[in-house]
Amino acid sequence: MAVELAAVRLLAPSFGTSLVVWTNVLASILLALALGYLLGGRLAAGERSVRRLGWVLLGAAATTAVAPTLARWLIRGLAPPAFALHEATEVILWGSLATALVVFGPPAVLLGSASPLAVDTLAARGGLGAGRAGALVLCAGTIGSLAGVFATTHVLLPALGLAWTFRIAGLVLAAAGFAAFALSRIGGNERALAVSAALIAALVSAESEPAAVGPGGTRLLAAGESQYQSVRIVEQGTGAKRLRFLQVNESFDSFQSVWQPELGLLPEGFYYNDFALPLFWDEARSDWRVLVLGLGGGTALRVLAGVLPEGDQLDVVGIEIDPLVVALARTYLDLDPSKFGARTRAHLVEGLDARAGLRSLETPLDLILLDCYANQVELPPHLVTLEFFAELEERLADGGWVVANLGGFGFEDPIVASVAHTCSVAFGRAVLVLAVPHARNFVLVARRGELPLDVEGVPRSVAGALSARASKARLSAGFRIVVPTDAGLLLTDDCSPSERLQARSLREARARLIGTAQGDPR
Amino acid sequence: MRLPWLVIALLSGDASAPVARQSGVEDWRAQEYATLQEVEPVVRARGLALVYARAGFPTAAWDAAQRGLRSAPDDLALQFHAATSALQLSEASLARQHVDALRAELVRAELTEDLRSEWEASLSELLRNAEDLEKDARSRDRAVSLARWIAIAVLCGAMFALYRLSRGAMAGQGARSGTPGRRAT
């Protein structure tokens, strides 16, 4: 189980941790275990089983310890270094399956074959019946798995990282293998061979870690493993034009947070700028109580603090589920409440899910920013439902706003369309969807009150820093108004198939382009 | 009706001028684009494609260019917009298709020497970008193909091994339990 958990994390930087990757890893390991059980049964040979058990465990130790090195080598050939998200489906599906089979198949076969050998050893040496021997082995194996699961998630991965998690799993297995050898009293030659095999595995697993280069030639500043994901900070550019990105798992061509040296608007193409539109649309309000769900590295907070209109005040609560993200952001992305200026008060809450965090707040809010993603590209199913949007609406003050970031390939994209429809039904009124220029993002704007629409149904312009952005929103390709009576898929707590929608989104994006080229007016 | 500056730029400028040189529309203002609805469809498509491309909406620029190309497949500017938006959307084969079409139309078009050399400069840059994109696409396809073959080969090997081992196990059990007609292997 420890290897299974760490296996998914090992694949994450290249293939992510979506359900497809989990399925491929679990399927590969289950298949290998089935094979291993039969192999173990074939190898079982009464008195000699304990010696064979030693060899099998030593083999499992070696293949486990070298898994990170082997995976890195294999992934170089199977996952091109840079490709856009919509090109990823096939790479993720086949790349993760091939890597899981080749890298985790051998240790799982060997671990599977250990069980019948252990049963046979207990039966032959301890004089136990097959039932009792099997029960003991199953019980010991399950308790070992239990310990491995907890140790991997709570201690090994966060504290020691991936490579050492595999090495330690290898060490434990090697120790068990040598214990079996001790029981079987193997000869000098065999002992020398076993020690040599262990040393070679240790050397291969100790191959140097990858260089400090991030995807696409960016500079890698920091990286770590949290309970939720692989996290890293990369930097590009120099001086005042430096940009730092917080990326998780596979990254592809996307990121979770972005930082520039100055507070305020980011270069065009970053959806965070749109989070500030309500500050300009809603001139009657000057004291803004803001909740950021999915704070990440604090980008939204830095944008808001930097463009805050004269005389306005911000009181922000930012919630981020992953403490490692906050820790890295404090060091590398200036996520420090004292640095946002005198008119901004910020309170950071880490380790809390957005929905649970929302329920813990009682004060009516003027602006809720929703920027939560799981597995990098998937909207968490429980954060796009009718019930959740209804909860958001309840927490809003009169005239309060919700602004949400949605990834998608067009207004007809299944994710964008269904989330906007669901939000519109929950609010019982029209919502606005804005296409972000030069990006694959859409920003959903809902309000407990009238939206800033003029008679033509387009958003009114705003003055100041965001006026150029707002005028682009007036293009017919720049916005869409969704009303509750529009047809659409309603996402609920009971049925929120966001993973399926995500897969459809990736699949249909290209079909829509080709359809237009062939005269389909979609 | 007053013709807004954007329409003036599109109508009065030489429609065959390379898109990069149609600088009159660089500082576009969105409210004026609406009047484009009233002009001739190909000019409107050209204008919309340009506005959307500059605004950062490549999908909309692609759609506008495709609409225009249906009635004017020989239009250089529309082929250019179709190719650039396909490049921005990382669609290698679609980009290549329009770069090739642009090259073919350029051969047929009657242009002054200056205009031709400007178009050719634009074309060679598009071609370079399309080739880069195609190279990436080929390397991605190779990687996917390799992964697929490895996965299928390992799965087939595992299934075969399962079959052989399970047959052996069943035969072994039969022999031990004394089932008539079975032998341990």
Side-chain angles (χ1 to χ4, degrees):
Chain A
M1 284 302 291
V3 172
E4 279 173 48
L5 285 177
V8 172
R9 202 52 79 79
L10 189 60
L11 299 187
S14 304
F15 304 113
T17 57
S18 62
L19 201 57
V20 170
V21 176
W22 270 102
T23 303
N24 283 345
V25 169
L26 291 179
S28 303
I29 288 177
L30 288 174
L31 177 66
L33 283 174
L35 205 55
Y37 296 144
L38 288 175
L39 183 67
R42 177 69 74 90
L43 292 173
E47 282 294 320
R48 282 177 297 159
S49 284
V50 68
R51 178 182 297 183
R52 292 180 179 180
L53 177 64
W55 280 112
V56 158
L57 287 171
L58 199 61
T63 47
T64 300
V66 303
T69 309
L70 181 59
R72 210 161 42 236
W73 175 79
L74 194 61
I75 284 168
R76 258 183 233 139
L78 300 184
F83 50 91
L85 187 62
H86 68 281
E87 299 160 338
T89 318
E90 291 258 287
V91 177
I92 290 172
L93 174 65
W94 291 106
S96 64
L97 181 60
T99 311
L101 284 167
V102 172
V103 176
F104 309 115
V109 167
L110 292 166
L111 284 169
S113 63
S115 297
L117 287 170
V119 171
D120 204 47
T121 301
L122 280 177
R125 298 191 147 225
L128 299 178
R132 283 190 65 195
L136 278 174
V137 169
L138 281 173
C139 177
T142 306
I143 288 174
S145 295
L146 194 66
V149 166
F150 278 101
T152 303
T153 300
H154 296 289
V155 182
L156 296 175
L157 278 176
L160 301 175
L162 261 174
W164 271 105
T165 300
F166 279 97
R167 283 174 199 146
I168 286 174
L171 277 174
V172 171
L173 290 169
F178 280 112
F181 284 146
L183 277 177
S184 70
R185 297 186 190 89
I186 59 171
N189 286 346
E190 269 190 296
R191 208 162 31 232
L193 190 62
V195 171
S196 307
L199 280 176
I200 290 169
L203 281 174
V204 174
S205 81
E207 189 203 273
S208 60
E209 296 297 316
V213 177
T218 50
R219 293 180 292 279
L220 182 65
L221 301 182
E225 295 292 328
S226 74
Q227 290 173 342
Y228 301 95
Q229 55 210 344
S230 300
V231 188
R232 61 181 168 273
I233 307 276
V234 299
E235 184 180 64
Q236 68 179 43
T238 52
K241 294 201 169 172
R242 263 178 313 154
L243 289 176
R244 288 179 185 168
F245 298 95
L246 186 146
Q247 299 180 324
V248 300
N249 295 338
E250 74 272 34
S251 88
F252 296 134
D253 55 349
S254 58
F255 51 85
Q256 304 299 301
S257 297
V258 60
W259 168 95
Q260 63 180 5
E262 297 299 318
L263 295 177
L265 293 180
L266 291 158
E268 192 173 62
F270 291 106
Y271 64 87
Y272 305 97
N273 293 347
D274 287 18
F275 286 162
L277 282 166
L279 301 182
F280 295 88
W281 273 329
D282 196 344
E283 289 170 356
R285 204 177 301 262
S286 58
D287 289 329
W288 290 86
R289 288 156 299 180
V290 181
L291 172 65
V292 185
L293 297 173
L295 178 70
T299 311
L301 190 44
R302 289 175 62 80
V303 169
L304 257 54
V307 299
L308 192 60
E310 199 64 39
D312 283 10
Q313 304 267 351
L314 275 181
D315 190 352
V316 186
V317 174
I319 296 180
E320 170 54 47
I321 195 168
D322 191 340
L324 180 63
V325 164
V326 175
L328 288 176
R330 283 184 204 276
T331 309
Y332 295 97
L333 307 181
D334 289 337
L335 183 57
D336 178 352
S338 68
K339 290 185 178 172
F340 297 129
R343 291 185 293 136
T344 299
R345 280 195 307 158
H347 178 60
L348 312 181
V349 180
E350 56 192 81
L352 198 58
D353 175 77
R355 198 153 173 183
L358 178 70
R359 286 173 181 164
S360 70
L361 294 172
E362 288 175 3
T363 323
L365 296 155
D366 302 301
L367 174 61
I368 299 175
L369 303 179
L370 179 61
D371 192 12
C372 296
Y373 272 80
N375 297 328
Q376 192 182 14
V377 294
E378 291 157 11
L379 289 161
H382 66 301
L383 300 182
V384 289
T385 63
L386 186 70
E387 294 85 347
F388 176 64
F389 282 120
E391 281 182 45
L392 289 181
E393 204 238 359
E394 273 174 28
R395 295 294 188 283
L396 287 176
D398 283 341
W401 303 75
V402 168
V403 185
N405 166 38
L406 310 175
F409 295 96
F411 293 109
E412 301 79 17
D413 182 285
I415 291 274
V416 175
S418 56
V419 175
H421 174 67
T422 303
C423 180
S424 161
V425 172
F427 275 68
R429 61 181 82 228
V431 298
L432 181 65
V433 184
L434 299 174
V436 179
H438 303 289
R440 214 177 35 226
N441 297 82
F442 290 79
V443 166
L444 170 68
V445 182
R447 192 181 189 198
R448 189 171 191 177
E450 291 305 312
L451 280 170
L453 305 175
D454 65 20
V455 286
E456 290 170 335
V458 293
R460 282 184 214 121
S461 292
V462 297
L466 282 166
S467 59
R469 164 69 190 106
S471 62
K472 286 187 182 185
R474 294 172 68 83
L475 290 170
S476 64
F479 78 98
R480 184 70 50 94
I481 292 165
V482 178
V483 296
T485 50
D486 286 347
L489 178 65
L490 197 62
L491 305 171
T492 64
D493 280 349
D494 184 50
C495 182
S496 179
S498 64
E499 278 213 329
R500 207 182 60 200
L501 291 175
Q502 186 67 44
R504 261 184 61 200
S505 162
L506 294 168
R507 210 169 46 237
E508 290 176 6
R510 185 155 202 271
R512 273 198 299 275
L513 285 183
I514 293 170
T516 319
Q518 291 170 347
D520 181 348
R522 273 185 292 186
Chain B
M1 187 195 84
R2 183 180 69 88
L3 274 178
W5 64 271
L6 177 56
V7 180
I8 292 168
L10 287 164
L11 293 177
S12 63
D14 184 350
S16 62
V19 174
R21 225 179 56 170
Q22 295 173 6
S23 55
V25 291
E26 268 180 19
D27 300 316
W28 60 274
R29 282 171 293 175
Q31 63 273 26
E32 288 179 307
Y33 114 96
T35 50
L36 285 170
Q37 314 283 345
E38 296 165 20
V39 300
E40 195 265 320
V42 174
V43 176
R44 183 175 141 213
R46 204 186 290 143
L48 282 174
L50 186 61
V51 167
Y52 289 146
R54 294 248 159 92
F57 300 133
T59 310
W62 166 266
D63 289 346
Q66 294 300 329
R67 273 196 297 275
L69 284 169
R70 258 173 250 148
S71 49
D74 57 348
D75 190 282
L76 297 178
L78 288 174
Q79 290 290 4
F80 175 89
H81 285 304
T84 46
S85 42
L87 281 172
Q88 283 172 25
L89 294 164
S90 302
E91 289 293 344
S93 60
L94 296 176
R96 187 53 187 247
Q97 191 182 312
H98 286 286
V99 169
D100 288 345
L102 178 60
R103 182 163 46 188
E105 294 306 332
L106 204 50
V107 171
R108 281 195 283 272
E110 290 177 9
L111 299 168
T112 64
E113 204 59 33
D114 284 354
L115 278 181
R116 183 171 297 280
S117 69
E118 282 185 53
W119 267 114
E120 275 168 2
S122 296
L123 179 67
S124 68
E125 192 180 334
L126 280 179
L127 194 59
R128 199 168 45 248
N129 291 337
E131 280 170 354
D132 287 348
L133 203 57
E134 279 182 318
K135 206 168 83 183
D136 291 347
R138 275 197 300 274
S139 100
R140 195 169 52 248
D141 290 346
R142 268 199 306 274
V144 170
S145 175
L146 177 64
R148 189 184 288 124
W149 281 113
I150 290 176
I152 290 171
V154 175
L155 281 174
C156 288
M159 299 312 283
F160 180 71
L162 265 180
Y163 170 73
R164 290 299 301 268
L165 286 169
S166 59
R167 271 192 56 172
M170 295 304 288
Q173 186 209 15
R176 264 189 223 119
S177 60
T179 309
R182 292 204 179 161
R183 269 190 322 144
T185 51

